[in-house]
Amino acid sequence: MSAKEIHLFINDNQEAAIFFGSKDENFKHLLKLTPAEISARGGEIFIRGEEADVDEAEALINQVLDIVKSEKQLTAGDINYAQSLVKKGVTIKHKDVVSGTILTTSRGKAIKAKTLGQKKYVQAMEENDIVFAIGPAGTGKTYLAVVMAVRALRNKEVQRIVLVRPAVEAGEKLGFLPGDLIDKVDPYLRPLYDGLYDILGLDVAQRHMERNVIEVAPLAYMRGRTLNDAFIILDEAQNTTPQQMKMFLTRLGFGARAVITGDITQVDLPKEEFSGLIEIQKILTGIDGIVFEYLTREDVVRHPLVQRIIDAYEEYDITQENAGAGEQK
């Protein structure tokens, strides 16, 4: 292959500062993602190397610069996502990736979908009464569902929010927990509280919970109820049994909407129990008004290492499966 060299220019000083980042942290992260040789002087960027590597690095930098122009900020996660688009040969403007502002938090932070998968997920919640969101940790499944629930409440589309979780230990034995039943299940519900506090602020969220406008409850509390005019979220749904999943879905009353989130690679049920979230995909597929959205590692918006951890586990699982298949022969 032939060698190639190109120059790119960032004419806006503010955009250049965002692109490079504090102490060049963004630029250093970008350098790790391409075999091409990249250097910079002022707002001028030099790319050298094999033609294919240079072309890919140019596409990556242009994708990142588009994010900078659109968002006026840049994170390592943004750069990683830009690289995933380039690797797949996807050329798309950042404004077509992100959604518009879904909601503004109590601290003035604008919340948007940050990936194509998240944008599709948000659109599904806007257009359907029941949405299943399945994908790995860090893809925003629960957080975006809570955001949409709060927006629906603010817009008076629903009268209350009900956040539900099965009380299943994540591979740990917590032993005896003091207090009444609410105290015992509270640790399982903490991630839902965290999302509410971040979006609404502590005081507003607590006032809503005191007035029962927002209810956070274990799944067992849903039996026998009918929920009207509510936005209901079932989180960690991979830890429901098929019977529990049916029980939850049949709680929906008039004017109710439901979002069910989970990661089918992290089932914490006893080995003899089958996940209701895995089974339900075979039962409800193709029903109008019910949508399954699948988020992937490319939709992860947590620390950049989370993506690599997910990849490492997937590679390990494949190795174990292949080893097991080899032993059976």
Side-chain angles (χ1 to χ4, degrees):
M1 293 180 66
S2 59
K4 184 177 181 180
E5 177 177 340
I6 63 170
H7 296 182
L8 298 175
F9 298 89
I10 308 176
N11 297 318
D12 187 293
N13 290 336
Q14 182 187 9
E15 291 178 1
I18 295 169
F19 174 83
F20 288 104
S22 175
K23 298 181 180 178
D24 288 340
E25 60 184 8
N26 290 335
F27 189 61
K28 290 174 183 175
H29 181 68
L30 190 147
L31 294 179
K32 298 175 186 175
L33 302 181
T34 172
E37 179 187 336
I38 306 176
S39 58
R41 184 172 61 241
E44 188 173 7
I45 301 170
F46 305 88
I47 311 174
R48 305 178 185 87
E50 297 294 338
E51 185 173 2
D53 294 337
V54 170
D55 289 344
E56 186 175 296
E58 179 184 18
L60 173 60
I61 290 171
N62 283 330
Q63 192 79 48
V64 170
L65 286 173
D66 185 48
I67 294 172
V68 171
K69 289 178 185 294
S70 175
E71 296 292 317
K72 302 304 180 187
Q73 62 181 7
L74 184 68
T75 67
D78 292 330
I79 298 171
N80 290 342
Y81 188 64
Q83 187 202 29
S84 73
L85 293 177
V86 170
K87 287 287 186 185
K88 291 192 296 185
V90 176
T91 304
I92 189 169
K93 288 290 186 183
H94 183 66
K95 64 181 177 61
D96 295 325
V97 172
V98 299
S99 67
T101 298
I102 306 168
L103 193 75
T104 302
T105 70
S106 60
R107 293 175 294 171
K109 175 186 172 186
I111 300 175
K112 305 177 182 179
K114 291 179 174 287
T115 69
L116 287 171
Q118 286 189 350
K119 185 176 183 179
K120 196 175 171 202
Y121 174 36
V122 169
Q123 288 173 337
M125 288 189 282
E126 290 175 335
E127 297 168 2
N128 297 275
D129 287 337
I130 299 178
V131 177
F132 290 83
I134 299 172
T139 50
K141 304 182 299 293
T142 304
Y143 189 78
L144 287 174
V146 174
V147 168
M148 293 296 289
V150 171
R151 188 177 81 169
L153 184 66
R154 285 183 178 176
N155 292 343
K156 302 188 185 307
E157 296 167 15
V158 296
Q159 294 180 5
R160 58 196 303 244
I161 297 171
V162 182
L163 308 177
V164 185
R165 255 193 172 207
V168 176
E169 297 167 349
E172 302 174 59
K173 295 299 179 187
L174 300 178
F176 174 77
L177 290 171
D180 59 19
L181 186 57
I182 292 296
D183 293 327
K184 292 178 193 297
V185 300
D186 193 67
Y188 298 103
L189 307 174
R190 184 53 50 187
L192 296 173
Y193 289 122
D194 292 342
L196 282 174
Y197 296 157
D198 184 58
I199 297 163
L200 287 170
L202 180 62
D203 291 342
V204 173
Q206 287 184 338
R207 279 202 305 273
H208 280 327
M209 284 188 279
E210 287 168 3
R211 296 170 183 168
N212 214 30
V213 174
I214 296 178
E215 178 184 355
V216 184
L219 180 59
Y221 277 30
M222 294 299 105
R223 191 171 298 278
R225 299 179 62 182
T226 300
L227 299 168
N228 297 314
D229 298 313
F231 196 118
I232 314 154
I233 299 170
L234 173 58
D235 190 33
E236 297 289 338
Q238 75 275 7
N239 290 329
T240 62
T241 64
Q243 294 79 12
Q244 288 174 326
M245 179 65 77
K246 181 180 179 181
M247 179 272 289
F248 171 80
L249 291 172
T250 53
R251 298 308 94 201
L252 270 68
F254 293 106
R257 295 154 64 181
V259 178
I260 299 94
T261 71
D263 178 358
I264 56 176
T265 69
Q266 295 194 41
V267 177
D268 300 311
L269 291 167
K271 288 184 179 179
E272 65 274 12
E273 295 279 10
F274 192 69
S275 170
L277 184 60
I278 294 175
E279 182 189 71
I280 203 71
Q281 297 172 76
K282 304 170 187 175
I283 298 172
L284 297 184
T285 301
I287 296 179
D288 192 37
I290 301 176
V291 172
F292 288 84
E293 290 295 336
Y294 295 90
L295 298 161
T296 70
R297 57 173 292 279
E298 291 171 351
D299 299 302
V300 171
V301 291
R302 287 183 184 170
H303 192 288
L305 282 176
V306 172
Q307 254 186 14
R308 297 180 208 170
I309 290 168
I310 292 168
D311 288 344
Y313 270 102
E314 287 178 352
E315 289 172 11
Y316 177 78
D317 289 341
I318 292 169
T319 302
Q320 294 297 103
E321 287 174 9
N322 291 340
E327 290 174 2
Q328 292 173 6
K329 288 181 180 179

